[in-house]
């Protein structure tokens, strides 16, 4: 499977962006899909995850209430709607997939994910 993340860009504080993650070669069915981000000079961190079958979602505390992860089965897409953006949200955002279940407490563990997209840059100005 190949993942393609898109939708990044430049936005002012308080603005919104929607990131998209498209999968080719395989559908998202039976997967867990996650969004991670890496800011300049920092380690990659967990943002959000979605368990495709059942639709359970998980969020980092830093984005709860502002970001929403969702899916669109017909288009085989996963989205990350980002509202009330802050300068500290500036990062390269990556989508990642594991075909199989990840236990709730491991949703934020990068090692659980087998396939990664190339990333899309989000820049939030103050």
């Amino acid at each position: 499977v190949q993942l393609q993340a898109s939708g990044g860009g430049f936005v002012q504080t308080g603005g919104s962006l929607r990131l998209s993650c498209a999968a080719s070669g395989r559908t998202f069915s039976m997967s867990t899909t996650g969004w991670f981000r890496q800011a300049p000079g920092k380690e990659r961190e967990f943002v959000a995850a979605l368990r495709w079958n059942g639709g359970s979602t998980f969020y980092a505390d830093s984005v709860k209430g502002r970001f929403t992860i969702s899916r669109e089965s017909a288009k085989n897409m996963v989205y990350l709607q980002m509202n009330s953006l802050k300068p500290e949200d500036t990062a390269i955002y990556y989508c990642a997939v594991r075909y199989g279940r990840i236990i709730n407490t491991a949703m934020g563990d990068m090692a659980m994910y087998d396939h990664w997209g190339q990333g899309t840059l989000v820049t939030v100005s103050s």
Side-chain angles (χ1 to χ4, degrees):
V1 62
Q2 290 187 326
L3 303 177
Q4 179 74 38
S6 61
F10 183 92
V11 65
Q12 293 187 333
T13 296
S16 298
L17 283 174
R18 188 178 77 159
L19 306 184
S20 300
C21 180
S24 59
R26 190 171 178 177
T27 70
F28 281 114
S29 180
M30 302 301 291
S31 76
T32 300
T33 303
W35 285 98
F36 292 78
R37 67 186 181 187
Q38 188 165 15
K42 295 188 177 181
E43 294 187 351
R44 196 170 298 188
E45 65 176 6
F46 171 73
V47 176
L50 178 146
R51 190 174 284 138
W52 191 268
N53 294 71
S56 300
T57 57
F58 305 83
Y59 296 94
D61 289 343
S62 59
V63 306
K64 277 181 183 176
R66 300 189 299 122
F67 290 11
T68 303
I69 188 170
S70 64
R71 61 186 177 181
E72 187 171 3
S73 300
K75 294 186 177 181
N76 200 36
M77 297 283 283
V78 172
Y79 303 103
L80 185 68
Q81 178 67 42
M82 305 186 297
N83 299 329
S84 302
L85 283 162
K86 306 174 181 180
E88 51 263 44
D89 294 317
T90 293
I92 298 174
Y93 284 71
Y94 300 88
C95 61
V97 164
R98 176 184 176 92
Y99 285 96
R101 185 176 179 88
I102 301 175
I103 61 173
N104 293 2
T105 54
M107 282 291 181
D109 184 350
M110 289 189 295
M112 293 290 105
Y113 296 82
D114 301 315
H115 307 279
W116 290 79
Q118 86 293 353
T120 185
L121 177 63
V122 172
T123 304
V124 185
S125 68
S126 57

